[in-house]
């Protein structure tokens, strides 16, 4: 089965066997994937390659695109084209070496960092919207190529083109996306979209017919110049393939890295559809140039090697001295694919079955021309917040629309409170809630107030409203091993896993898992409360600090800015992919191991201790194991009496096993922090630094995927325990202590990367499905953890507040944009 444009004969295979193999690959692809719509076929491939969760399918799809490219028909492109990136691949700088040993790609390259990062940022934003191919004179080609003989010999007025790229502002860009055009504008010397054929731009010859076709393409800036002509592919595996070649590398085109390495190649695969491959040089390329700031009149200093087509370069002199090869080996490789599509077929390009993400938006070119102003596209979801529960289908506006729903109005405005243990908490926290706002909107408003107050004065007194609210909140509990809140339902979801996990020789599945979304409110540099507890006190110049610094700090008017909070809100929340927490049942066996602080841990749990030893990031936990083996602590741990006879599998009595089963059933849960899709780009790194990092069970992922904000990974494990006295004195009264739910990361067998081993968070519930948490760290970093040690020695300090939210609150949170990384 072949088509007018796709035929295995379009690729000159090196042997009959390879020709037959290619024909069979194309036949299989067209029979199994192609349903008569090439746009839909390629859009399906693009969606897989733009989804980091489908990484396992990427090699197969790349192979199919290679088949299509090889079988594509040579064609000359002329005029404007709508474009979309299909995939981006990492350069494999050691590809030749790997192939000598029978491999395809180096493992580091196969991680596809570039693809992962691109998918997280710009993949479907329409930042790049295509190219145009304009007539160019022979004189311009000569000037741009430095009179390159080969280019001038193949110059053809009907084929040779000079081109430029189209760029567009992404819709509702987040911080990273918002930097796209502002960064590219000066870096690539972009120019505004030309509106008339009289405009002079990049030595191109603007034609009225091309400007008319451009009207179907929404873009605002243009640049990134290339010269295009027919040629043979630069990719070694395709050297004999005839392609339409776009070369950005000529120095006088003023390319900026990485365009100094880039050559695009195109073939036609259907009527009005052209498949392109990105081809990057892996050797002999320029990194740009430097100007000396103190010598502005000197010419820029080149960094790397200027492109010189097939001419000799100084770096190749010795190689060529002993070789008859006169051609520079640039080490070209395929680095991904893209599409070019005729704007005369824009309705098919922008169809729901193809690439609706490229569709012109209101106010953009093409919106009226293509009739989108007359037939508004109806969004699949009213809110754009993901799959909504059937219960909330009538809520069209999650910012304020909840007020019209009796159930939501009660949930969003009703506190869950108990009396504060602190006698001085006289103000009623109910008065914090203003008319017409939800409790979450109240927290957001207070958070803004705290940020403003601590910008120049990072003192805990500015967090007073959060303090009082936390002391009035009610600690969640554990019932039959399940995390349980105090709302009407008391949980967000309850799901059992299906995938068996091995825990120290026993296979089990996740049981009773519940998850909550997470958001930070405000952070505080808790170390200052340890090292400088009272900033109004005068310092003794002889203590700790040099005299001048002590004098400066002693000034009672001195106020340090809240750098931690400012860093989080300006940068941190866009980078760190924490998305919430999960809670599930824990067995008595597993709990007993995690809470074990015995002196013979290496003998009791050799595999686990070996994991700690080999995970460099878990060094603080492994240090506790070694200290225990040397009897560093003279007293047994808090649970030492129930571990004295040995671990669960070797010596533990039935009475002690019953104790651990009861503890697990009544007080403890197995906890994980969750990370959103941003973590996938750093997957290999986190597998190294977090020994507990993992992909969630498919059944759990399915439940998460159906909610408003799916999570992609679990890690940074902890033990959750109820009915505990807060470790912060600020939460207690003179005669009454505050009960909280605690997250324990510090026990040696838990493991996890620094600084999580110094953390011990606390949680209370303040409304149905809405929890307020205190982020707490030990500031006595030199005091190793052991449960027999007085907690005061660890100098625990408050480092900020966070919230956990069920799915319903999360819909509201996304609408009001509380601590979102996509805003």
């Amino acid at each position: 089965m072949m088509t007018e444009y796709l035929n295995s004969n379009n690729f000159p295979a090196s042997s009959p066997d390879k020709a037959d193999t290619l024909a069979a690959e194309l036949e299989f692809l067209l029979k199994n994937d192609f349903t008569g719509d090439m746009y839909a076929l390629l859009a399906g491939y693009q969606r897989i390659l733009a989804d980091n969760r489908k990484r396992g399918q990427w090699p197969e799809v790349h192979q199919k695109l290679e088949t299509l490219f090889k079988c594509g028909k040579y064609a000359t492109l002329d005029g404007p084209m709508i474009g979309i990136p299909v995939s981006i691949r990492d350069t494999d700088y050691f590809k030749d070496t790997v192939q000598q040993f029978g491999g395809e790609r180096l493992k580091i390259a196969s991680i596809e960092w570039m693809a992962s990062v691109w998918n997280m940022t710009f993949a479907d934003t329409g930042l790049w919207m295509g190219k145009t191919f304009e007539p160019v004179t022979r004189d311009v080609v000569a000037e741009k190529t430095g009179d390159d003989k080969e280019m001038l010999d193949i110059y053809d007025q009907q084929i040779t083109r000079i081109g430029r790229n189209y760029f567009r502002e992404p819709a509702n860009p987040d911080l990273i996306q918002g930097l796209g055009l502002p960064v590219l504008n000066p870096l690539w010397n972009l120019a505004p979209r030309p509106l008339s054929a009289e405009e002079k731009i990049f030595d191109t010859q603007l034609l009225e017919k091309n400007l008319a076709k451009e009207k179907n393409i929404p873009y605002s800036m243009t640049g990134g110049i290339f010269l295009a002509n027919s040629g043979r592919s630069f990719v070694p595996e395709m050297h004999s393939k005839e392609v339409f070649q776009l070369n950005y590398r000529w120095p006088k085109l003023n390319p900026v890295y990485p365009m100094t390495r880039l050559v695009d190649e195109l073939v036609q695969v259907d009527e009005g559809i052209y498949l392109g491959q990105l081809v990057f040089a892996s050797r002999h390329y320029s990194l740009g140039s430097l100007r000396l700031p103190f010598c502005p009149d000197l010419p820029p200093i080149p960094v790397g090697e200027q492109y010189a087509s097939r001419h000799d370069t100084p770096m190749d002199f010795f190689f060529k001295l002993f070789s008859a090869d006169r051609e520079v080996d640039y080490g070209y490789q395929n680095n991904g694919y893209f599409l070019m599509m005729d704007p005369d077929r824009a309705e098919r390009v922008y169809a729901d079955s193809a690439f609706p993400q490229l569709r012109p938006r209101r106010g953009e070119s093409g919106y009226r021309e293509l009739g989108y102003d007359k037939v508004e596209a109806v969004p699949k979801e009213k809110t754009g917040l993901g799959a909504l529960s059937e219960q909330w289908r009538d809520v069209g506006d999650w910012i304020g629309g909840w007020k019209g729903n009796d159930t939501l109005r009660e949930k969003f405005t009703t506190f869950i409170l108990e009396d504060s243990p602190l006698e001085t908490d006289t103000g009623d926290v109910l008065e914090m809630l203003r008319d017409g706002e939800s409790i979450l909107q109240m927290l957001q408003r207070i958070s803004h107030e705290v940020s403003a107050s601590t910008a120049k004065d990072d003192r805990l007194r500015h967090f007073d409203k959060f303090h009082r609210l936390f002391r009035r909140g009610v600690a969640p509990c554990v019932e039959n091993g399940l995390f349980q809140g105090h709302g009407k339902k008391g949980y967000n979801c309850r799901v059992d896993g299906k995938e068996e996990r091995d825990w120290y020789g026993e296979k089990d599945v996740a049981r009773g898992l519940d998850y909550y979304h997470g958001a930070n409110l405000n952070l505080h540099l808790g170390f200052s409360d340890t090292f400088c507890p009272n900033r109004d006190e005068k310092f003794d110049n002889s203590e700790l600090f040099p005299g001048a610094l002590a004098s400066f700090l002693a000034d009672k008017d001195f106020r340090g800015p809240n750098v931690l909070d400012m860093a989080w809100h300006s940068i941190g929340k866009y980078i760190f992919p924490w998305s919430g927490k999960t809670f599930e049942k824990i067995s008595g066996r597993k709990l007993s191991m995690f809470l074990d602080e015995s002196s013979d841990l290496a003998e009791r749990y050799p595999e686990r201790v070996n994991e700690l030893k080999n995970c460099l990031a878990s060094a603080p936990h492994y240090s506790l194991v070694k200290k225990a083996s040397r009897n560093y602590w003279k007293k047994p741990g808090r649970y030492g009496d129930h571990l004295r006879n040995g671990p669960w599998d070797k010596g533990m009595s039935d009475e002690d096993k019953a104790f651990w089963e009861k503890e697990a059933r009544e007080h403890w849960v197995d906890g994980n922090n969750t990370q959103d899709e941003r973590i996938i780009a750093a997957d290999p790194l986190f597998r190294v630094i977090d020994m507990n990092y993992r992909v969630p069970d498919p059944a759990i992922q399915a439940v998460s995927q159906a909610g408003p904000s799916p999570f992609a990974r679990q890690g940074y494990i902890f033990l959750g325990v109820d009915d505990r006295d807060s470790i912060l004195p600020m939460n207690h009264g003179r005669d009454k202590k505050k009960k909280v739910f605690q997250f324990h990361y510090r026990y040696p067998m838990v493991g996890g990367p620094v600084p999580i081993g110094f953390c011990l968070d606390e949680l209370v519930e303040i409304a149905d499905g809405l929890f307020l948490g205190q982020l707490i760290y030990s500031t006595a970093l030199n005091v190793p953890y052991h449960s027999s040690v007085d907690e005061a020695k660890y100098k625990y300090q408050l480092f900020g507040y966070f919230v956990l939210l069920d799915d319903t609150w999360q819909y509201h949170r996304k609408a009001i944009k509380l601590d979102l990384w996509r805003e």
Side-chain angles (χ1 to χ4, degrees):
M1 176 183 175
M2 305 296 174
T3 72
E4 179 182 351
Y5 300 97
L6 289 170
N7 193 309
S8 61
N9 293 328
N10 289 333
F11 184 74
S14 59
S15 69
D17 287 344
K18 289 186 177 180
D20 291 343
T21 299
L22 181 62
E25 289 174 351
L26 179 62
E27 182 79 17
F28 181 85
L29 186 156
L30 293 176
K31 181 179 180 180
N32 291 276
D33 292 5
F34 184 59
T35 59
D37 185 346
M38 186 60 68
Y39 292 97
L41 172 71
L42 294 169
Y45 291 163
Q46 187 270 339
R47 280 190 281 273
I48 292 172
L49 294 169
D51 189 343
N52 288 341
R53 294 165 299 183
K54 297 180 179 179
R55 181 185 299 271
Q57 301 178 46
W58 290 359
E60 179 185 359
V61 176
H62 278 129
Q63 181 59 49
K64 291 178 179 179
L65 288 169
E66 181 180 326
T67 298
L68 290 174
F69 190 89
K70 285 181 174 179
C71 297
K73 179 181 178 181
Y74 168 81
T76 298
L77 277 75
D78 189 43
M81 293 285 163
I82 303 168
I84 186 170
V86 176
S87 73
I88 293 178
R89 306 197 74 187
D90 289 356
T91 297
D92 190 345
Y93 292 97
F94 301 96
K95 183 176 182 180
D96 294 342
T97 303
V98 173
Q99 289 182 336
Q100 288 178 7
F101 291 93
E104 285 294 324
R105 287 170 69 79
L106 189 68
K107 286 187 177 180
I108 294 176
S110 66
I111 292 171
E112 305 293 7
W113 292 89
M114 287 295 296
S116 300
V117 172
W118 175 260
N119 290 344
M120 290 164 48
T121 51
F122 295 106
D124 283 325
T125 61
L127 175 69
W128 177 72
M129 281 298 298
K131 306 175 188 287
T132 189
F133 302 81
E134 302 282 358
V136 62
T137 66
R138 193 174 189 274
D139 289 342
V140 170
V141 172
E143 188 270 326
K144 297 298 183 187
T145 64
D147 293 316
D148 184 87
K149 183 179 184 303
E150 183 173 338
M151 282 296 293
L152 295 177
D153 286 346
I154 65 173
Y155 173 81
D156 186 325
Q157 187 178 6
Q158 303 303 314
I159 297 175
T160 308
R161 293 289 180 264
I162 191 168
R164 52 190 169 87
N165 288 267
Y166 301 141
F167 299 96
R168 172 198 200 187
E169 184 68 40
N172 303 314
D174 59 27
L175 178 67
I176 302 299
Q177 294 165 356
L179 294 174
L181 273 184
V183 170
L184 290 180
N185 278 341
L187 193 63
W188 288 4
N189 297 312
L190 301 185
R193 176 183 187 136
L195 303 176
S196 162
E198 282 72 40
E199 292 188 42
K200 302 297 181 183
I201 180 172
F202 303 123
D203 297 309
T204 62
Q205 299 176 19
L206 299 181
L207 303 180
E208 289 288 357
K209 66 174 185 177
N210 288 342
L211 289 177
K213 290 182 71 174
E214 278 191 2
K215 289 182 179 179
N216 288 345
I217 306 177
Y219 79 94
S220 58
M221 302 298 290
T222 184
I225 309 306
F226 56 85
L227 287 175
N229 218 324
S230 60
R232 300 287 174 177
S233 176
F234 284 166
V235 177
E237 296 86 352
M238 302 185 190
H239 259 337
S240 53
K241 172 72 177 174
E242 187 177 11
V243 296
F244 194 60
Q245 216 161 49
L246 288 53
N247 195 329
Y248 293 82
R249 303 193 65 195
W250 300 104
K252 291 190 177 181
L253 291 174
N254 298 316
V256 178
Y257 185 86
M259 294 168 74
T260 55
R261 301 168 54 191
L262 177 60
V263 178
D264 289 339
E265 297 179 345
L266 286 154
V267 295
Q268 189 168 10
V269 295
D270 203 352
E271 186 67 33
I273 305 178
Y274 306 84
L275 177 62
Q277 67 172 347
L278 298 161
V279 181
F280 278 87
S282 61
R283 292 189 286 270
H284 307 302
Y285 53 81
S286 170
L287 293 171
S289 58
L290 295 175
R291 284 189 177 275
L292 299 178
F294 47 85
C295 299
D297 296 330
L298 290 179
I301 303 170
V303 180
E305 298 180 47
Q306 296 282 354
Y307 176 70
S309 182
R310 289 175 169 81
H311 297 310
D312 291 331
T313 65
M315 296 295 290
D316 287 315
F317 174 75
F318 292 104
F319 173 76
K320 292 179 171 41
L321 193 63
F322 301 99
S323 170
D325 189 359
R326 306 298 295 171
E327 183 176 325
V328 178
D329 180 7
Y330 285 111
Y332 285 115
Q333 295 180 19
N334 172 286
N335 283 79
Y337 294 93
F338 62 96
L339 292 175
M340 299 268 83
M341 295 166 285
D342 192 333
D344 286 342
R345 297 167 175 262
E347 290 90 345
R348 293 193 66 187
V349 176
Y350 301 142
D352 288 342
S353 61
F355 307 101
Q357 65 269 45
L358 303 182
R359 191 176 296 159
R361 302 186 290 266
R362 183 181 294 276
E364 291 184 319
S365 181
Y367 185 78
R368 285 188 299 102
E369 289 82 354
L370 296 170
Y372 292 116
D373 59 330
K374 297 181 177 63
V375 183
E376 288 278 359
V378 179
K380 294 181 179 180
E381 298 291 349
K382 292 182 180 179
T383 62
L385 295 174
L388 289 172
S389 165
E390 289 295 331
Q391 186 179 6
W392 313 126
R393 286 287 178 182
D394 63 330
V395 182
D397 171 20
W398 279 87
I399 297 178
W402 52 269
K403 299 173 189 176
N405 184 293
D406 292 342
T407 303
L408 284 180
R409 187 171 62 254
E410 180 183 4
K411 180 183 178 79
F412 284 3
T413 59
T414 304
F415 286 98
I416 291 176
L417 302 173
E418 64 183 12
D419 291 338
S420 170
L422 195 62
E423 299 80 2
T424 55
D425 279 347
T426 56
D428 191 346
V429 298
L430 297 177
E431 296 175 359
M432 296 183 192
L433 186 64
R434 295 176 179 175
D435 290 342
E437 71 178 359
S438 68
I439 294 173
L440 193 61
Q441 287 170 316
M442 176 199 77
L443 292 175
Q444 185 181 41
R445 171 173 50 80
I446 295 173
S447 176
H448 291 159
E449 293 172 359
V450 172
S451 291
S453 299
T454 62
K456 295 182 179 180
D457 180 20
D458 186 16
R459 300 196 196 192
L460 278 177
R461 67 182 185 186
H462 299 299
F463 291 74
D464 181 63
K465 290 181 179 178
F466 286 147
H467 300 335
R468 289 194 287 124
L469 189 56
F470 186 88
R471 289 190 289 260
R472 291 290 308 275
V474 182
C477 58
V478 175
E479 293 183 0
N480 193 29
L482 299 170
F483 181 82
Q484 182 70 36
H486 300 282
K488 288 187 175 180
K489 190 168 66 170
Y491 58 91
N492 185 39
C493 76
R494 293 276 167 81
V495 58
D496 291 336
K498 295 181 179 179
E499 194 173 70
E500 283 193 334
R501 303 172 306 191
D502 180 82
W503 180 254
Y504 235 76
E506 281 193 8
K507 293 188 179 297
D508 197 5
V509 298
R511 296 171 298 147
L513 182 136
D514 194 3
Y515 76 90
Y516 292 85
H517 310 276
N520 278 306
L521 295 174
N522 294 89
L523 300 181
H524 164 71
L525 191 59
F527 287 106
S528 62
D529 300 312
T530 293
F531 302 123
C532 187
N534 187 346
R535 297 192 183 192
D536 291 334
E537 290 182 356
K538 298 292 183 180
F539 288 89
D540 182 342
N541 289 1
S542 65
E543 295 179 359
L544 298 178
F545 301 105
L549 181 58
S551 176
F552 174 68
L553 291 174
D555 184 351
K556 67 179 180 180
D557 294 326
F558 169 77
R559 298 293 185 267
N562 191 346
V563 293
L564 204 58
D565 192 61
M566 290 187 288
W568 173 259
H569 288 291
S570 61
I571 301 174
K573 70 177 181 178
Y574 301 102
I575 299 174
F576 296 103
W578 177 69
S579 61
K581 297 180 186 289
T582 64
F583 309 97
E584 61 186 89
K585 284 187 175 183
I586 189 169
S587 68
R589 178 177 180 267
K590 187 174 183 179
L591 180 63
S592 68
M593 179 187 293
F594 271 160
L595 295 179
D596 201 336
E597 299 172 287
S598 303
S599 60
D600 57 343
L601 292 173
E603 289 74 32
R604 291 184 177 217
Y605 319 106
E607 291 90 350
R608 184 68 176 178
V609 171
N610 196 49
E611 283 185 85
L612 290 169
K613 181 180 180 180
N614 293 328
C615 182
L616 185 62
S618 294
H621 288 91
Y622 181 60
S623 175
L624 300 179
V625 174
K626 292 192 293 184
K627 282 182 167 56
S629 69
R630 298 194 297 266
N631 294 307
Y632 183 89
W633 298 277
K634 304 308 177 186
K635 295 181 181 179
R638 180 171 181 174
Y639 299 97
D641 288 346
H642 299 283
L643 294 160
R644 185 181 297 112
N645 296 323
W648 186 282
D649 296 334
K650 193 185 298 183
M652 184 178 288
S653 66
D654 291 340
E655 292 79 9
D656 286 333
K657 288 183 178 181
F659 166 82
W660 287 112
E661 290 287 12
K662 185 173 186 292
E663 276 290 300
R665 185 172 58 252
E666 296 181 356
H667 297 294
W668 296 85
V669 292
D670 197 352
N672 275 266
N673 285 276
T674 60
Q675 295 90 24
D676 59 41
E677 60 182 332
R678 289 171 293 172
I679 198 72
I680 298 176
D683 228 10
L685 175 64
F686 274 83
R687 291 183 189 278
V688 172
I689 67 173
D690 184 2
M691 57 188 287
N692 304 302
Y693 183 80
R694 67 171 182 264
V695 177
D697 182 299
I700 294 167
Q701 271 197 319
V703 173
S704 167
Q705 200 68 38
S709 301
F711 55 84
R713 298 291 186 267
Q714 292 173 282
Y716 292 94
I717 68 173
F718 59 86
L719 294 171
V721 60
D722 70 358
D723 195 30
R724 288 298 188 265
D725 293 338
S726 173
I727 57 173
L728 293 182
M730 62 178 286
N731 290 330
H732 302 310
R734 187 171 54 250
D735 303 316
K736 186 178 179 182
K737 293 185 178 293
K738 177 63 184 175
K739 291 292 185 182
V740 296
F741 188 92
Q742 288 181 338
F743 305 135
H744 283 262
Y745 298 86
R746 307 206 67 189
Y747 284 90
M749 302 304 289
V750 172
V754 178
I756 204 70
F758 297 96
C759 186
L760 204 166
D761 296 341
E762 298 184 341
L763 192 75
V764 295
E765 189 171 14
I766 60 172
D768 186 354
L770 178 63
F771 304 84
L772 182 63
Q774 290 184 329
L775 182 63
I776 301 170
Y777 280 88
S778 164
T779 59
L781 304 182
N782 62 332
V783 182
Y785 179 77
H786 196 265
S787 61
S788 68
V789 177
D790 183 358
E791 290 178 343
K793 292 186 180 295
Y794 296 114
K795 298 180 180 178
Y796 287 110
Q797 298 291 356
L798 178 66
F799 275 73
Y801 282 92
F802 64 92
V803 288
L804 296 181
L805 317 92
D806 67 16
D807 280 350
T808 310
W809 283 106
Q810 179 69 358
Y811 286 120
H812 183 40
R813 173 214 172 181
K814 293 180 70 173
I816 66 175
K817 298 182 178 180
L818 170 63
D819 193 49
L820 295 184
W821 63 278
R822 279 181 173 168
E823 295 188 14

